[in-house]
Amino acid sequence: MPLESRKIAYRPDIDGLRAIAVLVVVFFHAALSFPGGYVGVDVFFVISGFLITSLLLKELRQDTFSLLDFWERRIRRILPALIVMVLVTLLVGGLLLMPGDYEKLGKSAIAQALLVANLYFWREDTTSGGYFGLASEERPLLHTWSLSVEEQFYLFFPLMLVCLFRFERFRKPRTLSLLLLAALLAGLALAAFGVKFRGEATFYLLPTRAWELLCGAWIASLSTASIPQNRLLREGASWLGLAGILLPCWLYTRETPFPGLAALPPCLGTVLLIWSNARHEGEQGGITSVARLLALRPVVFIGMISYSLYLWHWPVLVFGKYWLLQNWSPWYLRAGLVLVAGLLGILSWRYVETPFRRKTTIATRSAAFRFAAASTIFTLFCGAALTVFHGFPARMPESVAKNEDAKQDRYHSPSMSIENIQLGQLNPLGASDLVTSPRILLWGDSHARCAVPAVDALCRELGITGFAVFADATPPLLDWVSSSEYGLGKKTPEFSAAVLDFIKWRGVSHVILAARWSEYQLHDTQLLEKNFPVTIRALHEAGCKVWVLQSVPEVDLDAPKALARSAIFGGDTTSWRRLISDHRRKNSILYEMAEQNLPARFVDPAPLLLDTHSDRYRADIDGVSIYFDNDHLTRKASQALLLPLFRAAMSDALAAQPRAASPLGGAVRTQ
């Protein structure tokens, strides 16, 4: 007798497993605990594969399977609660989201309605930092990617089983289980390969996630002979399975390569718990101590509402963080949002999920399919309207749209590599002249990238050529090996040496060093104090005049959002701006260096942003943010603030006769 023939018997321990899965996901997303809590989704996949395959195999063996029945069950199980959540999210988004984010919400609603949300977010994440990136925290429907994976799987899996059951050999549990085992091992191998080379695709796409659902399908296909009889074996397997789920929740982080082999412990842990607590038909008792814990009524209740809780927790957290901004940090605030999500989950389970599943609402199959068609069409219509009309910007004050434009107003250019520098493939500035020696080189991190519009405009005004070289989270300093996990790491000294060689080779006469100096002072104080003067003197000995662009005053949150929020809801626009004393303290090393007798001239943009009415710096010009986040200048602000500074400080020096390039120099290749 196949194991899945017991499907009629309710197993409260599986609802308990659902409770664990949803709680670790929710706590992870709320940053309350479980840094690896995202593995809860993998537990859900295994449970889903087991339960649905159990029913499919039971019906196929009894020749009662109907594809229409199957899809009616899926509609009743998934769609009502999902469509309510999506429509409420669209409504709330209309009140809270800036136009560009509202437009993106419309696009994601279209993708969800077409069951391709995972494909949509995969394409989005190739340029936005991935599932764990900051951009993910502004997408209220991101969590629907997992539902799309499941539904895509169930589009073809039942049909595959129907085809297999046409052959008598595949009706045998042993043969079928071996086939499913081979399929899941092949999928695991693909995921293990993909996570190394195509991380985002491996995370989101069905081919590298199907093996997790197949884990559940495989355990459902086993015969009753596989059910463990030994009590000690059951207990050991149960506790080992629970450890396989919980330990990754504590030990994994956002940096753990995932899924791939890292997904094995939670998936195998779920398999062990399901397997070790299975019972023969008619068997009474015998469940393990773990199963008894999972079957406790409060745990089971959380498992029963787990789907609705999963649906609601992410939009609640996203909308909460979207406008709370600097107030997001207190744990009690995040815990409060989780409680709100829990309440919505209970209401959804009680008044949406349960009536549809029990057929007290929309009782007939034809009505269920009409509901599915109508709700899908309506969601597509809403999403299309938001897309076509670009998030309806007229619903917001004009300053909101201006600040949203500020978020997009940035100079785009990738970080350089050592090979780029050695080949002379730097970003050109000013006049397009491949022969004349460049007069100026802008060198630094992402803050140097932000200074490009100003330096480029200055070069064009003076009719001179220049280049820019930058690498994110990498200061323009020689012999720098940062303790930070970002930037070029151990390659930084080689990168900096290559820049210095380029300067000597091309006879660059002026070098601007620009960086987020406060960040390096925070993490590598002694290294900054040592390497900064060394770099200045090395450039001076190379015949360069050195200019140092001090850090712009940072703010404590996303400035465009804060200004937009103020325009919509009113409220304070002062408390989140940087105190003058804080800025001086966080940049004290550079200010001290400016007082020393170094062969460099320091250019400080901070005085231009002084607020004469407070002890803080301004973060806007006429109500429009000068930053596209909390510390990077927009292109407009770069030209409005930095260009006059550079013009006043450097014009006379740049007008002097340039020095000759190295006799080994020549025309460089530009990008």
Side-chain angles (χ1 to χ4, degrees):
M1 180 183 297
L3 179 63
E4 94 295 327
S5 66
R6 299 174 39 268
K7 173 63 177 65
I8 296 174
Y10 170 64
R11 288 184 54 175
D13 59 299
I14 290 183
D15 267 334
L17 264 179
R18 284 195 179 111
I20 290 177
V22 75
L23 287 177
V24 297
V25 169
V26 171
F27 288 164
F28 164 70
H29 283 153
L32 290 172
S33 184
F34 303 115
Y38 49 84
V39 303
V41 173
D42 306 81
V43 176
F44 274 127
F45 283 159
V46 178
I47 294 172
S48 175
F50 170 72
L51 294 177
I52 292 180
T53 304
S54 295
L55 183 57
L56 287 173
L57 293 180
K58 175 180 170 61
E59 292 178 345
L60 286 167
R61 287 195 167 96
Q62 296 176 352
D63 293 323
T64 59
F65 174 75
S66 165
L67 195 59
L68 290 178
D69 286 344
F70 174 79
W71 275 105
E72 181 188 357
R73 290 195 298 267
R74 294 304 294 169
I75 288 171
R76 293 184 181 279
R77 176 72 178 95
I78 299 297
L79 192 57
L82 175 61
I83 196 65
V84 170
M85 181 276 294
V86 170
L87 294 180
V88 171
T89 298
L90 290 174
L91 287 173
V92 176
L95 299 175
L96 299 180
L97 296 184
M98 297 169 72
D101 292 326
Y102 200 30
E103 179 182 352
K104 291 179 181 178
L105 176 60
K107 292 178 180 178
S108 63
I110 293 173
Q112 178 278 313
L114 297 176
L115 304 181
V116 292
N118 58 328
L119 298 175
Y120 172 78
F121 290 117
W122 163 54
R123 297 302 299 270
E124 285 283 297
D125 279 352
T126 55
T127 58
S128 62
Y131 177 81
F132 301 114
L134 293 177
S136 68
E137 298 174 354
E138 299 179 354
R139 297 181 290 190
L141 296 181
L142 174 65
H143 62 321
T144 61
W145 74 268
S146 61
L147 303 181
S148 293
V149 168
E150 278 202 36
E151 297 316 307
Q152 290 163 16
F153 180 81
Y154 293 126
L155 280 175
F156 74 85
F157 185 65
L159 297 177
M160 183 195 77
L161 289 180
V162 168
C163 293
L164 289 175
F165 266 64
R166 293 181 180 273
F167 302 93
E168 187 63 32
R169 73 182 69 172
F170 292 114
R171 288 177 172 264
K172 299 177 181 179
R174 177 180 175 82
T175 305
L176 182 61
S177 64
L178 288 174
L179 180 64
L180 292 175
L181 180 61
L184 78 87
L185 290 176
L188 174 60
L190 180 63
F193 174 82
V195 77
K196 293 183 179 181
F197 303 101
R198 293 290 186 271
E200 291 86 2
T202 303
F203 188 92
Y204 282 110
L205 301 187
L206 177 63
T208 48
R209 286 289 192 168
W211 71 272
E212 300 175 15
L213 290 137
L214 287 172
C215 282
W218 172 70
I219 197 69
S221 71
L222 297 177
S223 68
T224 52
S226 70
I227 298 176
Q229 302 294 314
N230 185 281
R231 175 76 180 189
L232 186 61
L233 175 61
R234 286 192 181 203
E235 284 288 340
S238 292
W239 285 104
L240 182 62
L242 187 62
I245 294 172
L246 293 181
L247 286 179
C249 293
W250 278 300
L251 299 178
Y252 290 1
T253 67
R254 294 170 181 264
E255 285 71 45
T256 301
F258 199 86
L261 294 178
L264 262 180
C267 290
L268 289 182
T270 308
V271 166
L272 282 174
L273 278 168
I274 293 173
W275 172 75
S276 60
N277 291 287
R279 286 173 288 175
H280 293 280
E281 187 173 11
E283 180 183 349
Q284 300 296 321
I287 65 171
T288 66
S289 55
V290 174
R292 284 195 291 272
L293 291 174
L294 294 176
L296 293 173
R297 294 184 68 177
V299 181
V300 169
F301 178 73
I302 295 174
M304 292 172 67
I305 68 167
S306 59
Y307 174 58
S308 283
L309 177 56
Y310 179 78
L311 287 180
W312 284 102
H313 86 281
W314 184 245
V316 169
L317 292 174
V318 168
F319 286 136
K321 188 171 185 179
Y322 194 88
W323 285 116
L324 291 170
L325 299 174
Q326 81 271 29
N327 295 321
W328 174 252
S329 297
W331 69 268
Y332 52 83
L333 181 60
R334 288 174 272 125
L337 291 173
V338 169
L339 291 177
V340 171
L343 177 61
L344 291 173
I346 293 172
L347 294 174
S348 173
W349 168 76
R350 175 66 179 83
Y351 296 106
V352 182
E353 268 195 79
T354 302
F356 276 87
R357 293 179 67 183
R358 294 181 178 176
K359 299 187 179 182
T360 55
T361 300
I362 304 184
T364 66
R365 176 194 292 168
S366 60
F369 281 104
R370 288 197 299 271
F371 168 77
S375 60
T376 300
I377 291 171
F378 185 69
T379 303
L380 291 173
F381 172 80
C382 293
L386 293 179
T387 303
V388 171
F389 294 101
H390 304 294
F392 296 104
R395 65 194 165 86
M396 296 283 189
E398 184 180 358
S399 61
V400 173
K402 290 181 178 179
N403 277 290
E404 183 170 56
D405 289 341
K407 283 190 69 66
Q408 309 305 321
D409 184 27
R410 61 187 73 182
Y411 176 76
H412 292 281
S413 182
S415 295
M416 306 291 149
S417 67
I418 296 171
E419 292 75 17
N420 291 142
I421 300 168
Q422 291 172 340
L423 294 173
Q425 297 174 332
L426 280 66
N427 281 61
L429 301 173
S432 299
D433 188 339
L434 301 181
V435 178
T436 303
S437 294
R439 300 291 307 282
I440 191 168
L441 179 75
L442 173 63
W443 176 17
D445 58 13
S446 59
H447 280 217
R449 182 190 284 112
C450 294
V452 166
V455 180
D456 180 61
L458 179 65
C459 290
R460 293 181 184 278
E461 286 181 3
L462 300 176
I464 61 176
T465 62
F467 288 98
V469 56
F470 36 78
D472 291 338
T474 304
L477 299 176
L478 298 173
D479 301 322
W480 181 275
V481 181
S482 175
S483 61
S484 171
E485 61 190 50
Y486 306 107
L488 296 175
K490 294 181 179 180
K491 293 184 178 180
T492 304
E494 185 181 355
F495 180 88
S496 301
V499 175
L500 183 60
D501 288 342
F502 177 86
I503 291 169
K504 295 176 180 178
W505 169 44
R506 293 308 312 276
V508 176
S509 54
H510 297 267
V511 175
I512 301 175
L513 304 180
R516 188 183 181 186
W517 303 110
S518 59
E519 186 72 8
Y520 308 117
Q521 175 174 320
L522 176 65
H523 295 289
D524 300 279
T525 303
Q526 294 181 345
L527 197 59
L528 180 61
E529 290 177 327
K530 172 186 175 183
N531 290 49
F532 186 85
V534 169
T535 303
I536 298 296
R537 293 189 178 99
L539 291 171
H540 180 68
E541 291 170 2
C544 300
K545 290 186 177 180
V546 184
W547 311 81
V548 179
L549 179 64
Q550 296 269 33
S551 295
V552 294
E554 302 177 15
V555 294
D556 293 332
L557 44 80
D558 188 303
K561 274 192 188 177
L563 291 164
R565 181 183 65 174
S566 176
I568 298 171
F569 301 110
D572 177 47
T573 62
T574 302
S575 61
W576 49 269
R577 293 187 279 126
R578 182 57 52 88
L579 286 165
I580 296 172
S581 57
D582 282 349
H583 174 72
R584 299 284 300 193
R585 176 175 52 82
K586 291 178 182 291
N587 292 274
S588 60
I589 292 178
L590 264 290
Y591 281 112
E592 291 171 5
M593 294 290 178
E595 299 298 324
Q596 296 180 13
N597 190 28
L598 291 174
R601 182 168 178 181
F602 290 72
V603 180
D604 189 3
L608 296 178
L609 296 171
L610 286 174
D611 187 343
T612 56
H613 302 290
S614 75
D615 56 352
R616 299 176 184 267
Y617 290 102
R618 294 183 295 113
D620 65 281
I621 298 176
D622 297 329
V624 179
S625 175
I626 63 172
Y627 306 103
F628 60 75
D629 50 18
N630 72 310
D631 63 277
H632 292 91
L633 290 176
T634 65
R635 287 185 299 179
K636 289 181 180 178
S638 177
Q639 292 189 324
L641 297 174
L642 301 186
L643 177 57
L645 279 177
F646 288 137
R647 185 185 290 135
M650 302 180 67
S651 292
D652 291 343
L654 287 170
Q657 185 69 23
R659 70 188 181 97
S662 165
L664 298 178
V668 290
R669 296 167 54 190
T670 58
Q671 289 184 316

